[in-house]
């Protein structure tokens, strides 16, 4: 399960870096926030692993030019997807397919080589962005956000997204 993987990732007896949120973070849906927290937790794990595992550090540097996003896109998107699915299940969010979770897992990884392979043309990347927007701002049980700013942004984006 995702929870057991988190326990395996947790550094023993070491303080974790705090994660701060900006205003954009606070107007997101519950699942979008969960995705971001999982993404940042993976960064924390990779940072710890780099500091404590010379073999891993060498792999990250040699195979991924030291880029955590490249490593995450190549090797850890399944962790992101599994975490989002578990969160959605626990939060009672339904109606999302495996494809939906796959689409959402690329958020934050759009600058990677893996993303460019998955979405090679500008049209592919635009279609992906529209899918993310439609998923995050549709009424699919993503979680309730009561901010007026959120509602205005959602209304605007839904008008711009073709069915």
């Amino acid at each position: 399960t995702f929870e057991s993987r988190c326990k395996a990732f947790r550094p023993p007896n070491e303080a974790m870096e705090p994660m701060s949120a900006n205003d954009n973070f606070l107007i997101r849906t519950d699942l979008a926030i969960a995705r971001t927290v999982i993404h940042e937790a993976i960064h924390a794990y990779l940072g710890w692993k780099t500091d404590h595992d010379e073999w891993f550090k060498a792999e990250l540097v040699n195979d991924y030019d030291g880029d955590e996003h490249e490593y995450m896109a190549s090797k850890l998107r399944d962790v992101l997807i599994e975490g989002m699915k578990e969160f959605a299940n626990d939060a009672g969010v339904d109606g999302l397919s495996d494809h939906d979770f796959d689409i959402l897992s690329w958020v934050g990884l759009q600058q990677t080589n893996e993303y460019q392979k998955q979405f090679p043309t500008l049209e592919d990347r635009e279609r992906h962005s529209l899918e993310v927007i439609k998923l995050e701002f549709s009424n699919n049980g993503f979680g309730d956000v009561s901010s007026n700013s959120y509602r205005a942004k959602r209304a605007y984006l839904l008008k711009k997204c073709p069915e």
Side-chain angles (χ1 to χ4, degrees):
T1 67
F2 179 71
E3 184 178 338
S4 64
R5 283 181 142 172
C6 284
K7 288 177 183 173
F9 283 178
R10 188 175 300 124
N13 301 320
E14 294 196 27
M16 297 295 289
E17 289 289 322
M19 188 173 98
S20 60
N22 62 29
D23 290 342
N24 288 334
F25 186 80
L26 299 175
I27 61 167
R28 294 190 179 186
T29 60
D30 295 347
L31 186 56
I33 291 169
R35 178 195 56 227
T36 302
V37 170
I38 295 163
H39 178 108
E40 295 306 321
I42 292 170
H43 275 298
Y45 167 71
L46 293 175
W48 180 86
K49 187 110 169 124
T50 301
D51 290 343
H52 293 84
D53 184 333
E54 288 300 319
W55 179 86
F56 174 78
K57 184 177 183 176
E59 178 187 16
L60 185 65
V61 170
N62 296 330
D63 296 347
Y64 300 94
D65 294 325
D67 188 327
E68 291 180 357
H69 283 131
E70 290 291 348
Y71 186 87
M72 196 182 305
S74 295
K75 294 198 166 200
L76 296 176
R77 270 190 339 99
D78 63 323
V79 173
L80 255 167
I81 291 168
E82 187 180 337
M84 286 189 296
K85 284 180 175 180
E86 247 183 76
F87 174 85
N89 184 56
D90 291 348
V93 175
D94 55 11
L96 295 173
S97 68
D98 288 343
H99 173 77
D100 295 338
F101 285 108
D102 182 71
I103 290 297
L104 293 169
S105 73
W106 287 106
V107 174
L109 302 173
Q110 295 97 322
Q111 301 303 315
T112 65
N113 293 325
E114 287 298 315
Y115 181 85
Q116 302 302 318
K117 288 179 203 171
Q118 184 73 22
F119 305 97
T121 68
L122 179 59
E123 184 177 301
D124 293 332
R125 292 187 292 276
E126 287 175 345
R127 189 175 18 248
H128 172 254
S129 294
L130 288 175
E131 281 190 79
V132 169
I133 290 167
K134 286 174 81 172
L135 283 168
E136 290 192 352
F137 292 97
S138 64
N139 288 319
N140 64 0
F142 244 57
D144 187 27
V145 178
S146 59
S147 162
N148 286 331
S149 172
Y150 168 81
R151 285 195 295 272
K153 186 175 179 183
R154 178 182 171 277
Y156 171 78
L157 291 171
L158 284 176
K159 279 192 249 179
K160 294 292 183 186
C161 294
E163 288 300 318

